[in-house]
Amino acid sequence: MIRVLFFLLPVAAICGWYFGYRSSSAAVNASAKGGGLSSNVANGSNNKNAMPEEYFAGLNYLINEQPDKAVDAFVKVIAVNSDTVEMHLSLGNLFRRRGEVDRAIRVHQNLIARPQLTKEQRSYALSELAQDYLRAGVLDRAERLFLELVEMGKSDIANYNFLLSIYEKQKDWRQAIAMAQKLTSVSRGKMWTPIAYYYCELAEEALDQGLIDQAEVYLKKALVQDRNCARASIMLGNLAVKGAHYKTAIHFYRQVQKQDSDFLPEVVPQLANCYEQLGKIEEFFTFVKVALQESYSGSLALALVKYIDRYYGAKATIDFIATQHSANQHVASLRVLEYLLHLCINNAGSTEMSVQVQSNVALARQLLVSFLNNKPYCRCSNCGLGTKRIYWQCPGCMRWATLKPIRKFEIE
Ligand SMILES: [Zn+2]
């Protein structure tokens, strides 16, 4: 309640300022015409510009902690005319930015209902109202208004972007593709990454319905739009595995390294499985080791270490970590360190480690695990959001393909 009341103070101030401004303007005009205060009173203009009753009623509601009534009173105070349109727009915008979307809608609806608005003012108010609906999650109304604006000739980039965000929220990927293509033509922007991801979403929907051929068509379209769309390659690899086409699957999974090597750790288990099915697990290790050498990634190192342990045991794994450390001393991978401690504890029986040292190592690992449990696995390169798993569309900034496994684990 205190927050709302605090918010209403600038609203009251705007109204107060408006009437102060009108009164002083009227006084200046009167003086310019040779009159004075006495002539104002005589002309009755003093009454016209005085603070109306609603203003004081609004202040009263404010004092009595009745914010809804206070807002209504303040909005009534400022009559809509050509001088106050900007003020109404600012007030509505202020409400929306503060999360008071219902009030923003009321202000903008009130504005649009006025016949004296110019064409320009009306389209501006419509755009504001559409944004209110979008913020309130009333997507169909927001869409209708943005489309109306486009039909009115307001085909600016902002309206297309708002429509695109609506289609994304509605998961209407076909409309999203059409809108992104329009945006490409009007803004010459680079929309191929989102369009490729919309095709991947269509492929996911087709897979949910068991339409594998259709899914493949969408994924190939995704690669036509953006040949570096790693998600499309991963999905094509997964489809090939379903058909037991392991060589084809390996081709798609290995493609990920060239497209966007940040996503390579995501396909390590699938790659290992395919090579295993073909009886060529050595080729898997060679490929991943070379990839790691070309571009170090903590997530990739950890994925590889787990497979070395699985196939060759603890000693080979510890040797590999030691070699990696001497080759990459400038990068730290706390998760690899945690895995190393895990190996030391599990293999303590075959070493001469005393019980006390074993217990100390276990404690060190426990501390490290608690520390790492609070750390994200992915980080968005656009907004910096950290998440525990991959999202193809960042839940923070809604960008596509910006949330990736962290290469170098962050130490804080
Ligand atoms: Zn983001």
Side-chain angles (χ1 to χ4, degrees):
M1 175 63 84
I2 286 176
R3 198 176 71 86
V4 174
L5 291 172
F6 191 69
F7 162 60
L8 283 174
L9 288 175
V11 177
I14 288 174
C15 298
W17 170 82
Y18 171 62
F19 277 94
Y21 169 78
R22 272 183 54 166
S23 299
S24 64
S25 297
V28 168
N29 287 341
S31 313
K33 286 174 188 170
L37 183 61
S38 56
S39 67
N40 268 342
V41 174
N43 293 336
S45 60
N46 195 37
N47 287 339
K48 186 182 164 190
N49 292 300
M51 293 280 187
E53 278 178 18
E54 284 92 345
Y55 180 74
F56 294 105
L59 284 180
N60 247 331
Y61 287 131
L62 203 57
I63 292 162
N64 293 320
E65 299 188 357
Q66 291 176 281
D68 285 326
K69 288 182 177 173
V71 168
D72 288 340
F74 287 134
V75 171
K76 265 188 211 165
V77 167
I78 317 171
V80 178
N81 60 46
S82 55
D83 294 334
T84 59
V85 170
E86 287 291 328
M87 201 175 289
H88 278 264
L89 288 169
S90 305
L91 195 61
N93 201 301
L94 184 68
F95 281 135
R96 187 174 67 243
R97 277 192 286 120
R98 300 295 295 253
E100 305 273 327
V101 189
D102 286 349
R103 289 187 178 123
I105 290 173
R106 258 169 29 216
V107 170
H108 291 134
Q109 278 177 335
N110 180 39
L111 200 54
I112 286 163
R114 306 295 158 157
Q116 66 266 47
L117 293 189
T118 64
K119 208 175 163 187
E120 202 59 34
Q121 286 170 333
R122 190 179 147 72
S123 67
Y124 196 87
L126 268 181
S127 170
E128 289 293 310
L129 182 61
Q131 289 175 59
D132 297 339
Y133 284 134
L134 184 59
R135 179 80 185 268
V138 190
L139 300 181
D140 52 344
R141 285 192 193 180
E143 181 191 0
R144 229 174 16 244
L145 289 182
F146 283 124
L147 286 173
E148 195 180 321
L149 283 163
V150 169
E151 275 171 26
M152 284 163 66
K154 299 286 165 194
S155 310
D156 55 44
I157 295 167
N159 288 332
Y160 283 140
N161 268 315
F162 281 128
L163 281 166
L164 184 63
S165 73
I166 289 170
Y167 297 137
E168 281 191 1
K169 282 189 171 80
Q170 290 173 330
K171 297 189 185 298
D172 189 340
W173 308 116
R174 283 180 186 83
Q175 291 269 41
I177 290 169
M179 194 48 64
Q181 283 166 342
K182 261 186 198 165
L183 261 171
T184 307
S185 62
V186 296
S187 70
R188 294 182 189 164
K190 297 170 182 172
M191 294 300 293
W192 53 74
T193 300
I195 294 175
Y197 275 79
Y198 301 149
Y199 278 118
C200 290
E201 292 292 339
L202 284 172
E204 292 279 11
E205 285 180 3
L207 285 175
D208 286 345
Q209 295 163 31
L211 305 171
I212 291 175
D213 290 347
Q214 184 61 56
E216 207 172 323
V217 169
Y218 286 136
L219 292 171
K220 285 181 178 164
K221 281 187 178 180
L223 285 173
V224 169
Q225 285 295 324
D226 180 6
R227 63 181 178 171
N228 288 325
C229 180
R231 184 187 181 188
S233 293
I234 295 171
M235 289 180 74
L236 281 165
N238 295 346
L239 282 183
V241 169
K242 274 188 184 166
H245 305 302
Y246 300 111
K247 267 190 180 173
T248 312
I250 287 171
H251 161 77
F252 284 122
Y253 291 142
R254 286 180 64 143
Q255 209 161 264
V256 173
Q257 188 203 5
K258 291 182 194 126
Q259 293 169 316
D260 193 337
S261 59
D262 284 328
F263 289 117
L264 193 57
E266 288 304 292
V267 294
V268 165
Q270 294 96 308
L271 256 180
N273 171 48
C274 290
Y275 278 112
E276 200 174 52
Q277 295 292 336
L278 295 172
K280 294 179 176 178
I281 197 68
E282 275 307 320
E283 286 184 26
F284 159 76
F285 285 111
T286 307
F287 170 71
V288 182
K289 280 177 186 172
V290 170
L292 198 61
Q293 220 167 3
E294 285 176 2
S295 174
Y296 186 86
S297 149
S299 305
L300 187 62
L302 179 66
L304 176 61
V305 157
K306 286 181 178 174
Y307 277 91
I308 294 175
D309 184 29
R310 184 165 142 188
Y311 281 89
Y312 302 107
K315 189 181 176 311
T317 312
I318 293 168
D319 287 348
F320 174 77
I321 294 171
T323 314
Q324 275 294 307
H325 174 65
S326 49
N328 297 288
Q329 278 182 1
H330 57 291
V331 286
S333 173
L334 289 182
R335 291 186 203 271
V336 173
L337 173 61
E338 187 274 315
Y339 199 81
L340 178 65
L341 295 177
H342 152 81
L343 287 176
C344 291
I345 296 160
N346 278 12
N347 295 281
S350 60
T351 64
E352 291 172 359
M353 201 187 284
S354 71
V355 174
Q356 184 58 49
V357 173
Q358 281 179 43
S359 147
N360 291 345
V361 172
L363 176 64
R365 184 186 170 231
Q366 227 168 27
L367 292 172
L368 197 50
V369 168
S370 326
F371 174 78
L372 289 171
N373 279 346
N374 296 319
K375 296 288 153 205
Y377 170 66
C378 293
R379 178 81 64 203
C380 174
S381 58
N382 184 53
C383 71
L385 179 77
T387 59
K388 291 281 184 192
R389 68 173 182 88
I390 275 198
Y391 293 91
W392 296 112
Q393 185 178 28
C394 172
C397 63
M398 308 311 283
R399 289 272 189 103
W400 295 90
T402 52
L403 198 60
K404 299 172 179 180
I406 295 167
R407 276 184 171 267
K408 297 174 187 176
F409 292 112
E410 301 150 345
I411 302 170
E412 288 157 21

PDB file of all heavy atoms in Angstrom, residues 83-108:
ATOM      1  N   ASP A  83      -3.720  20.127 -25.511  1.00  0.00           N
ATOM      2  CA  ASP A  83      -2.578  20.485 -24.661  1.00  0.00           C
ATOM      3  C   ASP A  83      -2.182  19.347 -23.724  1.00  0.00           C
ATOM      4  O   ASP A  83      -1.065  19.313 -23.233  1.00  0.00           O
ATOM      5  CB  ASP A  83      -2.923  21.711 -23.787  1.00  0.00           C
ATOM      6  CG  ASP A  83      -3.129  22.945 -24.643  1.00  0.00           C
ATOM      7  OD1 ASP A  83      -2.561  22.985 -25.746  1.00  0.00           O
ATOM      8  OD2 ASP A  83      -3.872  23.842 -24.200  1.00  0.00           O
ATOM      9  N   THR A  84      -3.126  18.485 -23.411  1.00  0.00           N
ATOM     10  CA  THR A  84      -2.853  17.494 -22.356  1.00  0.00           C
ATOM     11  C   THR A  84      -2.659  16.076 -22.873  1.00  0.00           C
ATOM     12  O   THR A  84      -2.473  15.159 -22.076  1.00  0.00           O
ATOM     13  CB  THR A  84      -3.998  17.486 -21.321  1.00  0.00           C
ATOM     14  OG1 THR A  84      -5.203  17.165 -21.990  1.00  0.00           O
ATOM     15  CG2 THR A  84      -4.113  18.815 -20.613  1.00  0.00           C
ATOM     16  N   VAL A  85      -2.698  15.880 -24.192  1.00  0.00           N
ATOM     17  CA  VAL A  85      -2.533  14.519 -24.733  1.00  0.00           C
ATOM     18  C   VAL A  85      -1.195  13.936 -24.289  1.00  0.00           C
ATOM     19  O   VAL A  85      -1.115  12.803 -23.802  1.00  0.00           O
ATOM     20  CB  VAL A  85      -2.648  14.522 -26.280  1.00  0.00           C
ATOM     21  CG1 VAL A  85      -2.246  13.180 -26.850  1.00  0.00           C
ATOM     22  CG2 VAL A  85      -4.063  14.853 -26.697  1.00  0.00           C
ATOM     23  N   GLU A  86      -0.150  14.739 -24.412  1.00  0.00           N
ATOM     24  CA  GLU A  86       1.196  14.279 -24.015  1.00  0.00           C
ATOM     25  C   GLU A  86       1.205  13.858 -22.559  1.00  0.00           C
ATOM     26  O   GLU A  86       1.819  12.862 -22.178  1.00  0.00           O
ATOM     27  CB  GLU A  86       2.218  15.413 -24.212  1.00  0.00           C
ATOM     28  CG  GLU A  86       2.556  15.698 -25.654  1.00  0.00           C
ATOM     29  CD  GLU A  86       3.337  14.570 -26.297  1.00  0.00           C
ATOM     30  OE1 GLU A  86       4.111  13.917 -25.593  1.00  0.00           O
ATOM     31  OE2 GLU A  86       3.134  14.316 -27.504  1.00  0.00           O
ATOM     32  N   MET A  87       0.483  14.650 -21.726  1.00  0.00           N
ATOM     33  CA  MET A  87       0.446  14.367 -20.291  1.00  0.00           C
ATOM     34  C   MET A  87      -0.235  13.016 -20.006  1.00  0.00           C
ATOM     35  O   MET A  87       0.214  12.234 -19.189  1.00  0.00           O
ATOM     36  CB  MET A  87      -0.288  15.496 -19.602  1.00  0.00           C
ATOM     37  CG  MET A  87       0.026  15.603 -18.127  1.00  0.00           C
ATOM     38  SD  MET A  87      -0.761  17.025 -17.447  1.00  0.00           S
ATOM     39  CE  MET A  87       0.203  18.311 -18.190  1.00  0.00           C
ATOM     40  N   HIS A  88      -1.343  12.767 -20.728  1.00  0.00           N
ATOM     41  CA  HIS A  88      -2.045  11.489 -20.568  1.00  0.00           C
ATOM     42  C   HIS A  88      -1.134  10.333 -21.005  1.00  0.00           C
ATOM     43  O   HIS A  88      -1.099   9.286 -20.361  1.00  0.00           O
ATOM     44  CB  HIS A  88      -3.336  11.488 -21.392  1.00  0.00           C
ATOM     45  CG  HIS A  88      -4.460  12.178 -20.709  1.00  0.00           C
ATOM     46  ND1 HIS A  88      -5.403  11.515 -19.967  1.00  0.00           N
ATOM     47  CD2 HIS A  88      -4.767  13.481 -20.616  1.00  0.00           C
ATOM     48  CE1 HIS A  88      -6.267  12.389 -19.461  1.00  0.00           C
ATOM     49  NE2 HIS A  88      -5.902  13.600 -19.843  1.00  0.00           N
ATOM     50  N   LEU A  89      -0.432  10.558 -22.108  1.00  0.00           N
ATOM     51  CA  LEU A  89       0.459   9.504 -22.605  1.00  0.00           C
ATOM     52  C   LEU A  89       1.568   9.225 -21.586  1.00  0.00           C
ATOM     53  O   LEU A  89       1.894   8.078 -21.295  1.00  0.00           O
ATOM     54  CB  LEU A  89       1.070   9.904 -23.959  1.00  0.00           C
ATOM     55  CG  LEU A  89       0.103   9.880 -25.145  1.00  0.00           C
ATOM     56  CD1 LEU A  89       0.730  10.548 -26.360  1.00  0.00           C
ATOM     57  CD2 LEU A  89      -0.304   8.448 -25.496  1.00  0.00           C
ATOM     58  N   SER A  90       2.102  10.299 -20.998  1.00  0.00           N
ATOM     59  CA  SER A  90       3.171  10.127 -19.995  1.00  0.00           C
ATOM     60  C   SER A  90       2.642   9.401 -18.768  1.00  0.00           C
ATOM     61  O   SER A  90       3.296   8.522 -18.211  1.00  0.00           O
ATOM     62  CB  SER A  90       3.725  11.478 -19.550  1.00  0.00           C
ATOM     63  OG  SER A  90       4.156  12.197 -20.642  1.00  0.00           O
ATOM     64  N   LEU A  91       1.415   9.779 -18.382  1.00  0.00           N
ATOM     65  CA  LEU A  91       0.805   9.167 -17.196  1.00  0.00           C
ATOM     66  C   LEU A  91       0.588   7.666 -17.433  1.00  0.00           C
ATOM     67  O   LEU A  91       0.938   6.830 -16.594  1.00  0.00           O
ATOM     68  CB  LEU A  91      -0.533   9.867 -16.930  1.00  0.00           C
ATOM     69  CG  LEU A  91      -1.173   9.652 -15.575  1.00  0.00           C
ATOM     70  CD1 LEU A  91      -0.276  10.159 -14.470  1.00  0.00           C
ATOM     71  CD2 LEU A  91      -2.528  10.382 -15.512  1.00  0.00           C
ATOM     72  N   GLY A  92       0.039   7.340 -18.614  1.00  0.00           N
ATOM     73  CA  GLY A  92      -0.195   5.932 -18.957  1.00  0.00           C
ATOM     74  C   GLY A  92       1.104   5.156 -18.998  1.00  0.00           C
ATOM     75  O   GLY A  92       1.204   4.037 -18.479  1.00  0.00           O
ATOM     76  N   ASN A  93       2.109   5.781 -19.588  1.00  0.00           N
ATOM     77  CA  ASN A  93       3.423   5.137 -19.682  1.00  0.00           C
ATOM     78  C   ASN A  93       4.013   4.896 -18.284  1.00  0.00           C
ATOM     79  O   ASN A  93       4.574   3.841 -18.013  1.00  0.00           O
ATOM     80  CB  ASN A  93       4.337   6.057 -20.498  1.00  0.00           C
ATOM     81  CG  ASN A  93       5.497   5.308 -21.070  1.00  0.00           C
ATOM     82  OD1 ASN A  93       6.263   4.735 -20.322  1.00  0.00           O
ATOM     83  ND2 ASN A  93       5.612   5.292 -22.382  1.00  0.00           N
ATOM     84  N   LEU A  94       3.827   5.891 -17.426  1.00  0.00           N
ATOM     85  CA  LEU A  94       4.320   5.775 -16.039  1.00  0.00           C
ATOM     86  C   LEU A  94       3.648   4.599 -15.332  1.00  0.00           C
ATOM     87  O   LEU A  94       4.298   3.784 -14.688  1.00  0.00           O
ATOM     88  CB  LEU A  94       4.025   7.089 -15.305  1.00  0.00           C
ATOM     89  CG  LEU A  94       4.528   7.229 -13.872  1.00  0.00           C
ATOM     90  CD1 LEU A  94       6.041   7.297 -13.844  1.00  0.00           C
ATOM     91  CD2 LEU A  94       3.945   8.489 -13.220  1.00  0.00           C
ATOM     92  N   PHE A  95       2.313   4.484 -15.509  1.00  0.00           N
ATOM     93  CA  PHE A  95       1.572   3.370 -14.900  1.00  0.00           C
ATOM     94  C   PHE A  95       2.110   2.036 -15.398  1.00  0.00           C
ATOM     95  O   PHE A  95       2.330   1.119 -14.628  1.00  0.00           O
ATOM     96  CB  PHE A  95       0.082   3.476 -15.232  1.00  0.00           C
ATOM     97  CG  PHE A  95      -0.669   4.482 -14.387  1.00  0.00           C
ATOM     98  CD1 PHE A  95      -1.563   5.379 -14.964  1.00  0.00           C
ATOM     99  CD2 PHE A  95      -0.506   4.537 -13.020  1.00  0.00           C
ATOM    100  CE1 PHE A  95      -2.254   6.303 -14.195  1.00  0.00           C
ATOM    101  CE2 PHE A  95      -1.200   5.454 -12.231  1.00  0.00           C
ATOM    102  CZ  PHE A  95      -2.074   6.347 -12.839  1.00  0.00           C
ATOM    103  N   ARG A  96       2.308   1.931 -16.737  1.00  0.00           N
ATOM    104  CA  ARG A  96       2.756   0.645 -17.290  1.00  0.00           C
ATOM    105  C   ARG A  96       4.143   0.275 -16.775  1.00  0.00           C
ATOM    106  O   ARG A  96       4.389  -0.858 -16.393  1.00  0.00           O
ATOM    107  CB  ARG A  96       2.745   0.685 -18.815  1.00  0.00           C
ATOM    108  CG  ARG A  96       3.040  -0.696 -19.423  1.00  0.00           C
ATOM    109  CD  ARG A  96       2.894  -0.751 -20.921  1.00  0.00           C
ATOM    110  NE  ARG A  96       3.875   0.041 -21.592  1.00  0.00           N
ATOM    111  CZ  ARG A  96       3.585   1.090 -22.359  1.00  0.00           C
ATOM    112  NH1 ARG A  96       2.344   1.480 -22.545  1.00  0.00           N
ATOM    113  NH2 ARG A  96       4.537   1.770 -22.946  1.00  0.00           N
ATOM    114  N   ARG A  97       5.029   1.269 -16.752  1.00  0.00           N
ATOM    115  CA  ARG A  97       6.401   0.967 -16.312  1.00  0.00           C
ATOM    116  C   ARG A  97       6.442   0.551 -14.854  1.00  0.00           C
ATOM    117  O   ARG A  97       7.291  -0.217 -14.443  1.00  0.00           O
ATOM    118  CB  ARG A  97       7.315   2.180 -16.551  1.00  0.00           C
ATOM    119  CG  ARG A  97       7.808   2.226 -17.995  1.00  0.00           C
ATOM    120  CD  ARG A  97       8.918   3.214 -18.184  1.00  0.00           C
ATOM    121  NE  ARG A  97       8.419   4.585 -18.158  1.00  0.00           N
ATOM    122  CZ  ARG A  97       8.816   5.500 -17.287  1.00  0.00           C
ATOM    123  NH1 ARG A  97       9.724   5.212 -16.397  1.00  0.00           N
ATOM    124  NH2 ARG A  97       8.323   6.716 -17.311  1.00  0.00           N
ATOM    125  N   ARG A  98       5.478   1.045 -14.063  1.00  0.00           N
ATOM    126  CA  ARG A  98       5.435   0.668 -12.655  1.00  0.00           C
ATOM    127  C   ARG A  98       4.626  -0.612 -12.442  1.00  0.00           C
ATOM    128  O   ARG A  98       4.373  -1.003 -11.312  1.00  0.00           O
ATOM    129  CB  ARG A  98       4.826   1.800 -11.824  1.00  0.00           C
ATOM    130  CG  ARG A  98       5.612   3.098 -11.905  1.00  0.00           C
ATOM    131  CD  ARG A  98       6.979   2.940 -11.286  1.00  0.00           C
ATOM    132  NE  ARG A  98       6.887   2.679  -9.876  1.00  0.00           N
ATOM    133  CZ  ARG A  98       7.192   3.563  -8.931  1.00  0.00           C
ATOM    134  NH1 ARG A  98       7.620   4.739  -9.261  1.00  0.00           N
ATOM    135  NH2 ARG A  98       7.098   3.249  -7.658  1.00  0.00           N
ATOM    136  N   GLY A  99       4.179  -1.247 -13.531  1.00  0.00           N
ATOM    137  CA  GLY A  99       3.444  -2.510 -13.400  1.00  0.00           C
ATOM    138  C   GLY A  99       1.961  -2.307 -13.144  1.00  0.00           C
ATOM    139  O   GLY A  99       1.222  -3.264 -12.927  1.00  0.00           O
ATOM    140  N   GLU A 100       1.478  -1.035 -13.159  1.00  0.00           N
ATOM    141  CA  GLU A 100       0.059  -0.751 -12.941  1.00  0.00           C
ATOM    142  C   GLU A 100      -0.642  -0.804 -14.296  1.00  0.00           C
ATOM    143  O   GLU A 100      -1.136   0.221 -14.802  1.00  0.00           O
ATOM    144  CB  GLU A 100      -0.106   0.636 -12.315  1.00  0.00           C
ATOM    145  CG  GLU A 100       0.660   0.848 -11.046  1.00  0.00           C
ATOM    146  CD  GLU A 100      -0.122   0.407  -9.827  1.00  0.00           C
ATOM    147  OE1 GLU A 100      -1.357   0.528  -9.851  1.00  0.00           O
ATOM    148  OE2 GLU A 100       0.491  -0.079  -8.873  1.00  0.00           O
ATOM    149  N   VAL A 101      -0.684  -2.011 -14.894  1.00  0.00           N
ATOM    150  CA  VAL A 101      -1.128  -2.132 -16.290  1.00  0.00           C
ATOM    151  C   VAL A 101      -2.617  -1.804 -16.451  1.00  0.00           C
ATOM    152  O   VAL A 101      -3.007  -1.169 -17.432  1.00  0.00           O
ATOM    153  CB  VAL A 101      -0.830  -3.560 -16.831  1.00  0.00           C
ATOM    154  CG1 VAL A 101      -1.095  -3.617 -18.322  1.00  0.00           C
ATOM    155  CG2 VAL A 101       0.603  -3.928 -16.565  1.00  0.00           C
ATOM    156  N   ASP A 102      -3.440  -2.214 -15.482  1.00  0.00           N
ATOM    157  CA  ASP A 102      -4.887  -1.921 -15.598  1.00  0.00           C
ATOM    158  C   ASP A 102      -5.122  -0.418 -15.698  1.00  0.00           C
ATOM    159  O   ASP A 102      -5.947   0.047 -16.484  1.00  0.00           O
ATOM    160  CB  ASP A 102      -5.632  -2.463 -14.364  1.00  0.00           C
ATOM    161  CG  ASP A 102      -5.732  -3.972 -14.434  1.00  0.00           C
ATOM    162  OD1 ASP A 102      -5.415  -4.514 -15.507  1.00  0.00           O
ATOM    163  OD2 ASP A 102      -6.099  -4.597 -13.420  1.00  0.00           O
ATOM    164  N   ARG A 103      -4.374   0.324 -14.886  1.00  0.00           N
ATOM    165  CA  ARG A 103      -4.556   1.788 -14.898  1.00  0.00           C
ATOM    166  C   ARG A 103      -4.036   2.387 -16.199  1.00  0.00           C
ATOM    167  O   ARG A 103      -4.641   3.303 -16.751  1.00  0.00           O
ATOM    168  CB  ARG A 103      -3.832   2.408 -13.708  1.00  0.00           C
ATOM    169  CG  ARG A 103      -4.538   2.077 -12.428  1.00  0.00           C
ATOM    170  CD  ARG A 103      -3.968   2.803 -11.250  1.00  0.00           C
ATOM    171  NE  ARG A 103      -4.747   2.437 -10.090  1.00  0.00           N
ATOM    172  CZ  ARG A 103      -4.261   1.903  -8.984  1.00  0.00           C
ATOM    173  NH1 ARG A 103      -2.972   1.683  -8.895  1.00  0.00           N
ATOM    174  NH2 ARG A 103      -5.046   1.603  -7.983  1.00  0.00           N
ATOM    175  N   ALA A 104      -2.921   1.837 -16.688  1.00  0.00           N
ATOM    176  CA  ALA A 104      -2.378   2.322 -17.973  1.00  0.00           C
ATOM    177  C   ALA A 104      -3.422   2.104 -19.065  1.00  0.00           C
ATOM    178  O   ALA A 104      -3.670   2.991 -19.896  1.00  0.00           O
ATOM    179  CB  ALA A 104      -1.095   1.579 -18.299  1.00  0.00           C
ATOM    180  N   ILE A 105      -4.069   0.930 -19.048  1.00  0.00           N
ATOM    181  CA  ILE A 105      -5.098   0.620 -20.057  1.00  0.00           C
ATOM    182  C   ILE A 105      -6.240   1.629 -19.972  1.00  0.00           C
ATOM    183  O   ILE A 105      -6.707   2.156 -20.980  1.00  0.00           O
ATOM    184  CB  ILE A 105      -5.613  -0.833 -19.882  1.00  0.00           C
ATOM    185  CG1 ILE A 105      -4.515  -1.831 -20.297  1.00  0.00           C
ATOM    186  CG2 ILE A 105      -6.890  -1.076 -20.682  1.00  0.00           C
ATOM    187  CD1 ILE A 105      -4.822  -3.280 -20.021  1.00  0.00           C
ATOM    188  N   ARG A 106      -6.665   1.940 -18.735  1.00  0.00           N
ATOM    189  CA  ARG A 106      -7.779   2.886 -18.559  1.00  0.00           C
ATOM    190  C   ARG A 106      -7.432   4.268 -19.111  1.00  0.00           C
ATOM    191  O   ARG A 106      -8.228   4.894 -19.803  1.00  0.00           O
ATOM    192  CB  ARG A 106      -8.149   2.976 -17.078  1.00  0.00           C
ATOM    193  CG  ARG A 106      -9.388   2.156 -16.823  1.00  0.00           C
ATOM    194  CD  ARG A 106      -9.766   1.909 -15.412  1.00  0.00           C
ATOM    195  NE  ARG A 106      -9.419   2.876 -14.420  1.00  0.00           N
ATOM    196  CZ  ARG A 106      -9.051   2.549 -13.189  1.00  0.00           C
ATOM    197  NH1 ARG A 106      -8.973   1.279 -12.863  1.00  0.00           N
ATOM    198  NH2 ARG A 106      -8.781   3.468 -12.297  1.00  0.00           N
ATOM    199  N   VAL A 107      -6.215   4.717 -18.818  1.00  0.00           N
ATOM    200  CA  VAL A 107      -5.788   6.043 -19.290  1.00  0.00           C
ATOM    201  C   VAL A 107      -5.766   6.071 -20.816  1.00  0.00           C
ATOM    202  O   VAL A 107      -6.304   6.985 -21.448  1.00  0.00           O
ATOM    203  CB  VAL A 107      -4.386   6.403 -18.727  1.00  0.00           C
ATOM    204  CG1 VAL A 107      -3.837   7.657 -19.404  1.00  0.00           C
ATOM    205  CG2 VAL A 107      -4.459   6.610 -17.224  1.00  0.00           C
ATOM    206  N   HIS A 108      -5.174   5.034 -21.430  1.00  0.00           N
ATOM    207  CA  HIS A 108      -5.048   5.036 -22.888  1.00  0.00           C
ATOM    208  C   HIS A 108      -6.400   4.837 -23.582  1.00  0.00           C
ATOM    209  O   HIS A 108      -6.656   5.431 -24.634  1.00  0.00           O
ATOM    210  CB  HIS A 108      -4.027   3.969 -23.329  1.00  0.00           C
ATOM    211  CG  HIS A 108      -2.623   4.326 -22.935  1.00  0.00           C
ATOM    212  ND1 HIS A 108      -1.752   3.437 -22.349  1.00  0.00           N
ATOM    213  CD2 HIS A 108      -1.957   5.506 -23.003  1.00  0.00           C
ATOM    214  CE1 HIS A 108      -0.600   4.053 -22.105  1.00  0.00           C
ATOM    215  NE2 HIS A 108      -0.705   5.296 -22.489  1.00  0.00           N
TER     216      HIS A 108
END
